Amino acid sequence: MHCLGGTFVDQSQYVSVSALTKYLSAKFDRDPHLGKVYLTGEISNLGNRRSRHLYFSIKDPEEKAVIRAAMFSYASRLKFEPEEGMKVQAVGRVQLYEPAGSYSIILEQMTPAGVGDLFLALQQLKDKLSKEGLFTAPKRPIPALPKKIAVITSPTGAVVEDVAKTVERRLPQAQVVLLPAVVQGDGAVPSLLKQLERVDQLGFDTVIIGRGGGSIEDLWAFNDEALVRRVAALKTPIIASVGHETDNTLVDLVADQRAATPTAAAELATPISKQNLLDRVLELSARLNLAGQKLIQKKQQDLKYVIDRPIMKQPDRLYAAYQQEVDSLEKRLLQAFSRKTEQDKYQEQALRERLFQQKGQLLRPYQEHLALSAAKLDLVSPLKILSSGYTIVRDEKGQVVKATTDLAAGQPVDLTFADGQLTAKILGEKHD
């Protein structure tokens, strides 16, 4: 506790200067009204411009109020040369510089007050379109080898001539078609919109839209909302080349590519030039030749490896093992065939013997019966009788004569004896 004028004060209530400035800085950063401030006033304390950054003050000539200002990398941001006492319109954020405890405005954009209204309208439209995502939408790729390139520009300007010369040099087979349009003034936007409508209808591969440099008023048509939206909705890839390198219009932001000059636009429209193609062909040809040589060398090595193999020098070794196997199989086949033949012969002989035995057994009863029948037949056989001295007499017709009455004197007869036959003649009847 500390006594001050009879009043005791808590020491913890005191803060350092650093803590206070940090607190104020945080307040500045969080305040939405200080995040983006549109300011108008006169330039003062401009100082030298040898560095990349610009430091000066902006004062209110009527109220005598002054605020410090800074613009980093101002050369790429400003389209004019700032001068002491010049009235300007600026856009930026208020920031507290903690080491000095002072505040200043960090500028993003600044224009002379004479075009302040236009600039403010442009900034507001830019913010609106940015929130819609027109500037961050995916860009369409530029065709590598276009056949037809449309150029929307003034027919009297140098843009189309520069584009045509560059395309002729880089890619002679590509056709450049001029779609003439008014590029500044009241009739510029309708004229540009009309030609953009023709681009998708006529089937171009790429379109270049642009004009030469000029004041912000001269380029204002390319900040028109309808034109910007039409460029964003275009189906054909588009390259914008509006004004000089330091000029930036909304059409530049929505185009697929932005070129600083017509020549650069033509180069972007022909990503692959005739020389690129020729170099690529030569490169591929060299690579092809090298690959061919390597392939031939590889095949030669493979062929040499095959030729040097022992089997190629003594090809009979390739089938020698198979020949031995064939011989072995042939020998085994003959042996098997011989064994089979011997077995068949043995089985045939055994079958013959069994058949002979069975034949004898089957025929024996019949043979015995036949012999008995033959013996019985022999007992009654005429031959048996003839062997006893009897004779069989037959007439000339071969009929057996059974009685003397069947014969007549002089009639020839045949006499059958046991040992043969004789012919006789009947002399006559004999009576005892």
Side-chain angles (χ1 to χ4, degrees):
M1 302 291 289
H2 175 70
C3 181
L4 181 62
T7 303
F8 290 95
V9 180
D10 189 351
Q11 292 293 324
S12 62
Q13 294 181 357
Y14 292 92
V15 297
S16 67
V17 175
S18 177
L20 179 60
T21 53
K22 285 182 181 294
Y23 174 80
L24 294 174
S25 178
K27 281 289 189 179
F28 273 57
D29 293 339
R30 286 195 297 266
D31 191 329
H33 299 290
L34 301 179
K36 196 160 195 176
V37 177
Y38 295 85
L39 187 67
T40 182
E42 293 181 359
I43 296 177
S44 67
N45 302 319
L46 188 58
N48 63 66
R49 282 168 279 177
R50 295 180 180 177
S51 67
R52 296 173 50 245
H53 311 308
L54 188 64
Y55 299 96
F56 58 99
S57 298
I58 299 178
K59 67 178 182 178
D60 188 341
E62 298 178 359
E63 301 295 336
K64 305 301 182 183
V66 178
I67 185 173
R68 292 181 181 180
M71 177 174 279
F72 302 116
S73 302
Y74 74 95
S76 61
R77 297 171 179 267
L78 295 182
K79 308 297 186 298
F80 68 99
E81 286 294 327
E83 298 177 359
E84 188 75 23
M86 178 183 289
K87 188 175 182 180
V88 294
Q89 291 178 328
V91 181
R93 58 186 174 85
V94 178
Q95 175 182 285
L96 180 68
Y97 183 59
E98 295 182 26
S102 61
Y103 69 92
S104 60
I105 183 168
I106 308 302
L107 299 181
E108 297 175 2
Q109 299 173 355
M110 185 170 65
T111 59
V115 292
D117 293 340
L118 288 178
F119 183 80
L120 181 60
L122 174 62
Q123 186 61 43
Q124 291 174 345
L125 177 59
K126 182 178 179 181
D127 292 342
K128 173 185 175 182
L129 298 180
S130 178
K131 291 178 181 178
E132 294 181 15
L134 258 67
F135 303 139
T136 56
K139 302 298 184 181
R140 290 153 294 198
I142 305 299
L145 294 171
K147 295 180 180 178
K148 291 175 62 179
I149 301 173
V151 181
I152 301 177
T153 189
S154 171
T156 59
V159 174
V160 67
E161 184 177 352
D162 292 343
V163 170
K165 288 181 179 179
T166 304
V167 172
E168 175 65 23
R169 172 176 54 82
R170 289 177 57 82
L171 198 65
Q173 61 268 35
Q175 180 184 6
V176 177
V177 179
L178 171 64
L179 300 180
V182 179
V183 293
Q184 74 180 61
D186 295 337
V189 172
S191 178
L192 292 169
L193 288 173
K194 177 182 177 181
Q195 298 297 17
L196 285 173
E197 291 294 334
R198 297 182 61 196
V199 168
D200 285 337
Q201 296 174 1
L202 297 177
F204 288 96
D205 298 302
T206 309
V207 56
I208 297 174
I209 185 171
R211 55 153 292 154
S215 65
I216 188 172
E217 292 89 352
D218 295 337
L219 306 179
W220 193 250
F222 293 90
N223 291 318
D224 183 81
E225 181 176 358
L227 182 64
V228 173
R229 293 187 182 277
R230 186 64 189 89
V231 170
L234 200 66
K235 296 179 180 179
T236 306
I238 185 167
I239 301 170
S241 177
V242 181
H244 298 303
E245 184 174 1
T246 55
D247 295 321
N248 285 289
T249 66
L250 298 183
V251 167
D252 293 317
L253 298 179
V254 296
D256 298 302
Q257 292 280 356
R258 201 270 174 179
T261 63
T263 300
E267 291 176 348
L268 290 174
T270 53
I272 299 178
S273 66
K274 178 179 65 175
Q275 188 60 45
N276 294 145
L277 292 174
L278 180 59
D279 293 342
R280 183 60 174 165
V281 169
L282 293 177
E283 178 190 353
L284 293 176
S285 177
R287 290 173 59 185
L288 181 62
N289 289 334
L290 181 59
Q293 292 174 3
K294 289 183 177 179
L295 179 62
I296 292 174
Q297 291 175 358
K298 178 64 169 58
K299 295 301 181 182
Q300 288 175 341
Q301 292 175 357
D302 294 342
L303 179 60
K304 186 177 183 304
Y305 172 76
V306 173
I307 293 176
D308 291 343
R309 295 185 65 185
I311 197 66
M312 297 301 294
K313 296 181 178 180
Q314 296 177 336
D316 55 325
R317 294 174 58 182
L318 182 64
Y319 55 85
Y322 298 103
Q323 186 63 49
Q324 292 176 0
E325 186 176 359
V326 170
D327 293 342
S328 176
L329 291 174
E330 182 180 4
K331 183 178 179 180
R332 288 169 58 188
L333 180 63
L334 292 175
Q335 291 175 350
F337 182 75
S338 177
R339 287 195 299 271
K340 180 64 175 174
T341 302
E342 292 296 329
Q343 291 176 358
D344 291 345
K345 286 182 179 180
Y346 175 77
Q347 291 178 356
E348 181 183 4
Q349 184 63 31
L351 289 173
R352 285 179 180 276
E353 292 177 358
R354 288 176 60 190
L355 180 61
F356 183 76
Q357 292 175 358
Q358 292 176 358
K359 178 181 178 182
Q361 293 174 358
L362 291 172
L363 293 179
R364 185 175 292 111
Y366 297 101
Q367 289 175 343
E368 292 175 353
H369 180 70
L370 179 61
L372 179 60
S373 298
K376 292 178 179 181
L377 183 62
D378 185 60
L379 293 175
V380 296
S381 174
L383 296 177
K384 185 72 172 177
I385 298 174
L386 291 177
S387 63
S388 301
Y390 291 96
T391 302
I392 299 175
V393 180
R394 291 184 176 85
D395 58 16
E396 64 273 15
K397 295 181 180 180
Q399 299 294 325
V400 176
V401 179
K402 300 179 179 179
T404 58
T405 56
D406 294 333
L407 297 173
Q411 183 177 353
V413 294
D414 293 324
L415 303 176
T416 301
F417 297 90
D419 58 350
Q421 291 183 340
L422 292 174
T423 301
K425 181 183 291 186
I426 301 300
L427 297 177
E429 182 176 2
K430 182 178 179 181
H431 299 280
D432 292 331

